[in-house]
Amino acid sequence: MGQYVRVDVQILKNDLNEFQESIYELKRAFEETGLNVESLKSQWTGEAADRFMSCFFKETMVYEELIKELELMQERFVMSHKEYCKVKDDLLNLVDDFRV
């Protein structure tokens, strides 16, 4: 027996928009954090400061990889949305053509 998946393209579009907004907010928040850390860097010196900056740099690299992965996922969601819309339109056209 086949399995069916029902996809509402408008809900998918809304979810995609929310996902895009979340990525934007993550980028904005981390950019703000980076600016604050840069400000702190000019005021804080010593071994603890060096260790903190080293850890922050490592976490920044992890964060940047995470954002890249999220953006790739976003691109795949955009393509899926386009494909679902095309299939829906094709199906509607078939039904219209089939009507006697």
Side-chain angles (χ1 to χ4, degrees):
M1 180 179 239
Q3 293 182 344
Y4 298 93
V5 176
R6 181 180 176 152
V7 176
D8 185 322
V9 292
Q10 187 56 46
I11 291 173
L12 186 60
K13 179 67 173 168
N14 293 343
D15 291 345
L16 178 58
N17 289 339
E18 285 182 34
F19 189 69
Q20 289 171 327
E21 187 176 316
S22 296
I23 292 172
Y24 171 79
E25 289 299 321
L26 279 171
K27 286 177 162 181
R28 189 187 61 74
F30 201 77
E31 184 177 308
E32 186 177 321
T33 302
L35 292 173
N36 290 334
V37 168
E38 282 298 315
S39 175
L40 177 64
K41 187 177 176 180
S42 66
Q43 302 169 17
W44 186 25
T45 60
E47 186 179 331
D50 293 341
R51 281 196 313 249
F52 174 81
M53 292 303 165
S54 176
C55 287
F56 184 77
F57 177 73
K58 288 177 188 173
E59 291 301 317
T60 299
M61 293 177 70
V62 170
Y63 166 80
E64 289 172 353
E65 283 300 313
L66 172 69
I67 290 297
K68 285 179 188 175
E69 289 297 319
L70 289 172
E71 289 174 333
L72 287 173
M73 187 181 295
Q74 173 193 350
E75 288 176 22
R76 288 191 297 269
F77 286 157
V78 167
M79 293 305 299
S80 293
H81 178 260
K82 287 179 182 177
E83 288 175 16
Y84 279 119
C85 286
K86 182 182 180 326
V87 168
K88 180 182 176 186
D89 289 343
D90 289 349
L91 181 60
L92 289 173
N93 288 333
L94 280 174
V95 169
D96 286 342
D97 290 345
F98 185 72
R99 290 188 184 150
V100 180

